[in-house]
Amino acid sequence: KILTVALFYFSAFLLTTMVASLFIQVLAREFNWEVDWSEELARFSFISAVFLASSYATLTKSHLSVSFFSNWIAKRIGQNAVSKFHTFAQLGFDVCVIYYASINLIEGIRYPNISPSLGFNQNYLFVLMILGFALSALIHLIDIFSTQQDSSDTDMPALKGE
């Protein structure tokens, strides 16, 4: 519950920061102000919000899914098996992203990519990517260990002739 609220409000803060920064940028273009930092701040806020909001979507199970094929398979082998497969596939994706983002972060510390206006090493954004996908992986691990295999008749498809 605390994690859900924290992710929601932090993602909302990042979205608000992005919108405010873009609004400042529009005003700056109209009045010929020099605010080069507003575009970078908007970009960094957007990137950060995407990674943290994705773990929020995973936590609340509100992420986008195309369920036509999985519903068709679930009718044949049961919803529990399909749900477990989805969870393991998402967990595998989370682990791959964490691994490669960590490699990019380490390389980015060694060879920094400094933003021109803010003077910020852009490779530190991989920390938020790692954090977002680590939270998503943790949520998937909790799902795996908290759900029990149900051997009831409601999960298994009915066999013809019984």
Side-chain angles (χ1 to χ4, degrees):
K1 175 86 175 149
I2 294 171
L3 182 60
T4 305
V5 172
L7 283 171
F8 175 80
Y9 281 112
F10 194 62
S11 296
F13 169 75
L14 290 169
L15 181 64
T16 304
T17 303
M18 180 190 73
V19 170
S21 179
L22 289 173
F23 179 70
I24 290 169
Q25 186 178 27
V26 168
L27 289 177
R29 286 182 182 172
E30 186 65 30
F31 296 112
N32 293 325
W33 299 336
E34 291 188 28
V35 286
D36 299 334
W37 54 268
S38 63
E39 187 273 329
E40 287 183 3
L41 182 62
R43 184 171 10 119
F44 297 154
S45 298
F46 176 70
I47 292 168
S48 303
V50 165
F51 293 129
L52 294 180
S54 68
S55 54
Y56 172 80
T58 301
L59 184 63
T60 59
K61 300 196 183 321
S62 58
H63 50 284
L64 179 66
S65 65
V66 180
S67 57
F68 174 77
F69 186 68
S70 60
N71 288 344
W72 181 71
I73 295 291
K75 289 178 184 175
R76 285 150 181 75
I77 65 172
Q79 183 62 43
N80 194 20
V82 171
S83 295
K84 290 287 184 190
F85 175 77
H86 283 170
T87 302
F88 279 110
Q90 291 170 340
L91 181 62
F93 179 75
D94 292 340
V95 169
C96 287
V97 170
I98 291 168
Y99 174 75
Y100 287 110
S102 299
I103 290 172
N104 284 332
L105 175 64
I106 292 167
E107 187 174 305
I109 292 171
R110 194 178 307 152
Y111 307 107
N113 182 13
I114 307 298
S115 69
S117 297
L118 294 175
F120 174 73
N121 184 353
Q122 297 177 40
N123 295 306
Y124 288 133
L125 291 172
F126 285 110
V127 170
L128 291 168
M129 187 177 201
I130 293 167
L131 177 66
F133 280 93
L135 287 172
S136 181
L138 179 64
I139 293 162
H140 292 308
L141 286 172
I142 290 170
D143 284 347
I144 289 170
F145 291 114
S146 67
T147 56
Q148 300 295 323
Q149 284 282 23
D150 186 19
S151 59
S152 65
D153 292 332
T154 58
D155 190 39
M156 297 303 293
L159 297 175
K160 294 183 179 180
E162 285 188 357

